[in-house]
Amino acid sequence: MTDAQRIEQARQAKMALDNFLTPAFEIVEADYAEKMITAAASVDPRAPEIIARLANAIKATRMARQQIEAIVADGIDAKANRDRAERIATLTPAQRKLLNIGQH
């Protein structure tokens, strides 16, 4: 995938995260947490099993969010690489030679 594609993918992922996914993740996690509290306070013999399932659901939700955040971070890195390459392209040969000092 090119830097431009990574940047665009990150832009789209950030927009989706900001506008739709973060609020949805927060609602789901709060709901699961509330159900865990209810299960923990109950005398239901299945409470440990219910709590474990809800904990796994929260973990899966957080992992999904982290994957989307990783796409956004990758786009930030791609943009930094592209910006650096563009700056280097505008340098004179003498400036490029100075830039390469210490990189051997």
Side-chain angles (χ1 to χ4, degrees), residues 17-96:
L17 194 62
D18 291 346
N19 294 328
F20 308 107
L21 298 173
T22 294
F25 288 141
E26 289 171 355
I27 290 168
V28 168
E29 286 184 33
D31 183 55
Y32 289 158
E34 186 60 35
K35 287 177 180 175
M36 285 177 69
I37 291 167
T38 301
S42 76
V43 292
D44 187 336
R46 299 173 300 138
E49 179 184 336
I50 293 168
I51 291 169
R53 286 183 181 177
L54 290 165
N56 285 330
I58 290 171
K59 182 178 178 182
T61 302
R62 290 180 179 169
M63 289 174 64
R65 183 191 307 221
Q66 289 171 350
Q67 289 298 312
I68 297 164
E69 290 170 346
I71 292 168
V72 173
D74 180 62
I76 291 168
D77 289 344
K79 184 176 182 320
N81 289 341
R82 184 189 67 189
D83 292 349
R84 182 175 186 273
E86 288 173 356
R87 283 192 309 273
I88 290 171
T90 65
L91 297 176
T92 66
Q95 290 171 321
R96 284 189 196 148

Side-chain angles (χ1 to χ4, degrees), residues 1-12 74-75 77-79 81-82 86:
M1 185 178 302
T2 68
D3 282 347
Q5 290 170 322
R6 290 168 52 207
I7 292 166
E8 178 57 20
Q9 183 180 43
R11 185 193 66 75
Q12 291 176 10
D74 180 62
D77 289 344
K79 184 176 182 320
N81 289 341
R82 184 189 67 189
E86 288 173 356

